[in-house]
């Protein structure tokens, strides 16, 4: 049986078992979760997290060095950032549109008395300034993705310019890369078990009774996510990448399912890069630059949740949003998406920043926190798909322009 099929079965089984676990006594569930689901899920998660930092570092170094020309790096960098900004803005517009149309905050009775202590979001300027690490080894050991990317870019540029002189080190990185690609393949063999355990545990823990009053909100978020993935991304693949979106998503499915089960863009990165390079034919040098950057700064799915949540909270508290507020939401949610780390639930923390900016009560987060774990699974799949779509489109454009030049 193919890996995709196995993962699909694991996914469905995980959902069914997770829902079923909501009906067993709590103490029985805790034992099952503590001694079976949680350990299996955590081992899988640790296995992939173990290779994230080395893979990002090594692949960006060889990707940049392989591009050869710093001017080309600048061009690809510009295209990548533009693609990310435009798709995030479209995602936010879809989220806002669905929020206004569905009016999820008017659809039930909500307890607005709940309180919520917002953690403070890291100031966006600090994030930008600190992209250059003071101590690269600290960045590597803390897993600070933006800093790791910056450091790797510098090493890659140096290798490209020094050429023959540093050929030995370049080869070393190439060989290290082989090792990690082998490890991704190996670890992915355990994905069906890991995904099953993570999903069953997440759904078992989420308490389905919370879903009732939040049904319209969840539906709105999921609908906006589906529209963005099927319309925006398919359009990009079809028109800019000149390929079949169905084929793209079919090949990319295992990565989406890892995103779904881990709720972490960072953890999904090794798998999504491997599929992009080996199955979708994305150029290595482009995938290894575009996807790690995207897993760190491009979060369309998170933006959609934040847009719908903001509209939802404004409706529950009956505080209408004007044009200025809507523009502010687009601006701050885009910045929030850059500052959101690719790990579970951070999108919710960053939502506090958006709410504050438009003058909505941050306590509103208390209303959606109960269902956020489930939505995090779906939006993370969308987040990492957006990065792969960008890598695919840019790689295809590059292949076409190279073919043109050689004619
Ligand atoms: N879990 C998301 C990710 O890793 C971030 C978030 O929305 O919380 O992509």
């Amino acid at each position: 049986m193919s890996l995709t099929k196995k993962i699909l079965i694991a996914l469905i089984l995980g959902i069914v078992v997770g829902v079923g676990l909501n009906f067993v006594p709590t103490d029985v569930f805790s034992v099952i979760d503590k001694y079976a689901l949680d350990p299996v899920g955590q081992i899988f998660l640790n296995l992939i997290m173990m290779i994230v930092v080395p893979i990002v570092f090594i692949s960006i170094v060889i990707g940049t060095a392989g591009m050869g020309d710093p001017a080309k790096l600048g061009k690809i960098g510009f295209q990548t950032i533009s693609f990310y900004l435009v798709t995030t803005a479209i995602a936010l517009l879809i989220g806002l549109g669905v929020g206004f149309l569905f009016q999820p905050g008017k659809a039930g009775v909500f307890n607005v008395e709940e309180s919520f202590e917002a953690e403070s979001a890291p100031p966006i300027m600090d994030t930008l300034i600190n992209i250059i690490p003071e101590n690269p080894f600290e960045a590597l050991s803390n897993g600070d993705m933006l800093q790791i990317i910056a450091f790797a870019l510098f090493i890659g540029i140096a290798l490209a310019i020094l050429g023959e002189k540093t050929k030995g080190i370049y080869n070393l990185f190439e060989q290290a890369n082989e090792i990690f690609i082998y490890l991704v393949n190996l670890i992915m063999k355990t994905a069906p078990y890991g995904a099953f355990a993570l999903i069953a545990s997440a759904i078992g823990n989420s308490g389905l009774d919370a879903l009732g009053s939040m049904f319209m909100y969840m539906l709105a978020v999921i609908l906006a996510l589906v529209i963005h993935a099927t319309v925006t991304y398919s359009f990009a693949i079809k028109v800019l990448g000149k390929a079949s979106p169905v084929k793209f998503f079919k090949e990319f499915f295992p990565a989406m399912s890892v995103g779904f089960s881990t709720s972490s863009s960072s953890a999904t990165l090794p798998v999504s890069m491997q599929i992009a390079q080996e199955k979708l034919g994305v150029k290595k040098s482009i995938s290894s630059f575009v996807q790690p950057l995207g897993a760190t700064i491009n979060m369309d799915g998170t933006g959609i949740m934040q847009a719908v949540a903001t509209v939802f909270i404004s409706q529950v508290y009956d505080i209408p949003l004007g044009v200025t507020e809507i523009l502010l939401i687009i601006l701050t949610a885009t910045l929030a998406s850059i500052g959101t780390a690719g790990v579970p639930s951070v999108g919710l923390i960053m939502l506090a920043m958006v709410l504050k900016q438009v003058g909505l009560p941050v306590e509103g987060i208390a209303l959606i926190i109960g269902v956020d774990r489930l939505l995090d699974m779906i939006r993370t799949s969308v987040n990492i798909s957006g990065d792969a779509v960008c890598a695919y489109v840019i790689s295809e454009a590059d292949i076409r322009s190279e073919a043109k030049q050689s004619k």
Side-chain angles (χ1 to χ4, degrees), residues 57-79:
F57 181 66
I58 293 167
S59 64
I60 292 190
V61 168
I62 47 180
T64 317
M67 243 181 248
D69 177 9
K72 180 157 181 196
L73 183 69
K75 185 178 146 202
I76 303 277
F78 177 76
Q79 288 174 342

Side-chain angles (χ1 to χ4, degrees), residues 7-18 196 199:
I7 293 182
L8 188 65
I9 294 173
L11 226 137
I12 296 168
L13 274 180
I15 294 173
V16 172
V17 171
F196 165 79
I199 292 168

Side-chain angles (χ1 to χ4, degrees), residues 263-265 299 302 340-347 376 379-380 383:
S263 291
S264 165
S265 298
M299 313 245 169
T302 303
T340 305
V343 287
S345 293
V346 183
D376 198 4
R379 71 172 178 258
T380 305
N383 286 345

